[in-house]
Amino acid sequence: MDDKFFVPIASMLAGVIVFVAFAIWYALAEKPNAGSLWPVVGVCVAAGGLIVFSGFS
């Protein structure tokens, strides 16, 4: 693999791993009451941002 592809591949995989890890944690977490959705939005924006960054780098 060429060295120039390391940053795009690493950032794309980091975004996917962040999203999957959060989805698994969120599915298994106890939710006694409806909390704020801002942490969910933040994680999704961060994961999506990493994936979009991989497309432009």
Side-chain angles (χ1 to χ4, degrees), residues 12-47:
M12 191 255 327
L13 288 177
V16 170
I17 289 170
V18 165
F19 182 76
V20 169
F22 180 75
I24 291 171
W25 172 80
Y26 190 76
L28 297 176
E30 296 178 15
K31 296 178 271 304
N33 57 3
S36 175
L37 288 179
W38 285 111
V40 176
V41 171
V43 169
C44 290
V45 167

Side-chain angles (χ1 to χ4, degrees), residues 1-22:
M1 181 173 71
D2 230 358
D3 287 341
K4 67 180 179 178
F5 295 121
F6 180 75
V7 171
I9 291 171
S11 62
M12 191 255 327
L13 288 177
V16 170
I17 289 170
V18 165
F19 182 76
V20 169
F22 180 75

